[in-house]
């Protein structure tokens, strides 16, 4: 997992690059592929897109690379501003990263990210791919948004959980291999190596727990004292 802002931005960059390409393929081939081929009278999706002049977006036809670039920029900004920080906070409400297994906590972050990013990006896509030649209608926009969520959410959940995020973590670990190895070495140095160190570590943790409990008691007494003063 990334541990500073630069690593978080690199992690988000890799995630968005893979995700946007996967979504464009899913949208053009799986969801709308048969429709595009039927409308343009072709036997392939690429041929259909070439015949109609590109992908319909923002009231006009753009090449595929332009659609990917637009979606990448929007998704990358949204991931850094909302998706990544909010998903971490939501995961922390259910699991404790210091106590729960890292795999459980990372899975919770992935699920929270999908729950945030899928409806948000589907809403943006509802604007980008809205049929403006029919005129603008809010009801039709919301209907298209819900339709996109229904199409995208299962795809987002399973691909992020079983394909995209494992690939992203492999690439991330390869890029920051030295930093991760140094971090793991530091963690190994803090682990007890024999029975005496294990016992000493247990007592140290007991002292920390006692200190935390004493701190909580002091806070509770201070709160009770404040309430009694207010009642007077």
């Amino acid at each position: 997992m990334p541990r500073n802002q630069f690593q978080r931005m690199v992690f988000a960059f890799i995630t968005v690059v893979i995700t946007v390409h996967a979504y464009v393929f899913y949208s053009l081939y799986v969801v709308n592929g048969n429709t595009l081929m039927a409308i343009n009278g072709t036997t392939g999706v690429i041929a259909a897109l070439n015949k109609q002049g590109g992908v319909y977006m923002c009231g006009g036809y753009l090449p595929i690379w332009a659609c990917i670039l637009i979606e990448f920029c929007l998704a990358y900004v949204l991931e850094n501003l909302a998706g990544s920080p909010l998903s971490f906070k939501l995961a922390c409400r259910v699991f404790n990263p210091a106590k729960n297994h890292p795999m459980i906590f990372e899975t919770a972050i992935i699920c929270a990210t999908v729950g945030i990013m899928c409806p948000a990006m589907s809403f943006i896509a509802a604007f980008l791919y809205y049929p403006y030649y029919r005129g603008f209608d809010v009801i039709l926009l919301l209907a298209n948004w819900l339709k996109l969520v229904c199409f995208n959410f299962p795809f987002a959940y399973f691909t992020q959980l079983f394909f995209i995020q494992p690939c992203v973590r492999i690439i991330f670990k390869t890029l920051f291999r030295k930093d991760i190895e140094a971090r793991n070495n530091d963690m190994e140095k803090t682990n007890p190596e024999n029975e005496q160190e294990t016992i000493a570590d247990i007592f140290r943790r007991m002292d920390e727990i006692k200190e935390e409990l004493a701190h909580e008691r002091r806070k509770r007494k201070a709160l009770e004292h404040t309430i009694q003063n207010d009642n007077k």
Side-chain angles (χ1 to χ4, degrees):
M1 292 296 292
R3 64 174 184 174
N4 55 52
Q5 184 60 34
F6 174 73
Q7 291 184 2
R8 283 190 287 270
M9 293 181 68
V10 173
F11 190 90
F13 180 85
I14 301 171
T15 301
V16 174
V17 166
I18 299 177
T19 301
V20 168
H21 284 82
Y23 270 87
V24 170
F25 172 82
Y26 173 72
S27 177
L28 293 179
Y29 280 82
V30 179
V31 179
N32 300 305
N34 291 331
T35 302
L36 289 171
M37 290 186 290
I39 292 175
N40 294 280
T42 61
T43 57
V45 177
I46 296 296
L49 294 175
N50 292 333
K51 186 175 181 179
Q52 71 179 14
V55 181
Y56 180 82
M57 176 183 278
C58 301
Y61 290 93
L62 300 176
I64 296 179
W65 65 265
C67 298
I68 292 175
L69 182 61
I70 292 172
E71 290 197 23
F72 168 80
C73 294
L74 295 172
Y76 185 68
V77 172
L78 186 62
E79 172 69 17
N80 281 287
L81 295 181
S84 181
L86 291 180
S87 62
F88 182 80
K89 291 180 180 179
L90 289 175
C92 287
R93 288 187 176 183
V94 182
F95 299 101
N96 187 342
K99 297 180 180 180
N100 295 112
H101 194 278
M103 183 176 294
I104 296 176
F105 189 70
E106 290 177 6
T107 303
I109 292 178
I110 295 172
C111 294
T113 303
V114 172
I116 295 170
M117 292 295 293
C118 180
M121 285 304 299
S122 297
F123 188 71
I124 294 174
F127 277 98
L128 295 176
Y129 299 102
Y130 183 86
Y132 290 101
Y133 52 84
R134 298 181 182 178
F136 186 78
D137 186 3
V138 176
I139 302 300
L140 180 59
L141 175 69
L142 295 177
N144 289 340
W145 175 41
L146 293 176
K147 178 182 177 181
L148 288 173
V149 172
C150 292
F151 275 123
N152 294 336
F153 189 85
F155 177 78
Y157 178 77
F158 288 106
T159 54
Q160 289 290 340
L161 194 60
F162 298 107
F163 170 68
I164 295 178
Q165 286 303 317
C167 290
V168 171
R169 278 160 170 74
I170 292 173
I171 298 172
F172 182 83
K173 290 178 181 178
T174 303
L175 293 176
F176 296 96
R177 178 174 54 84
K178 293 183 179 180
D179 181 75
I180 294 173
E181 289 177 354
R183 192 191 319 174
N184 292 336
N185 291 333
D186 292 339
M187 292 178 62
E188 290 177 0
K189 291 179 181 179
T190 59
N191 292 332
E193 297 180 354
N194 51 49
E195 185 178 356
Q196 292 182 348
E197 291 186 1
T198 302
I199 295 174
D201 184 66
I202 292 174
F203 280 107
R204 180 181 59 80
R205 295 184 181 182
M206 290 176 61
D207 292 336
E208 292 177 353
I209 294 172
K210 290 179 181 178
E211 181 61 28
E212 291 178 359
L213 292 174
H215 180 66
E216 290 295 329
R217 293 193 192 98
R218 289 193 294 268
K219 288 175 59 178
R220 187 179 302 174
K221 289 182 179 179
L223 180 60
E224 292 176 353
H225 182 69
T226 302
I227 294 174
Q228 290 176 358
N229 292 336
D230 293 340
N231 292 333
K232 292 179 180 179

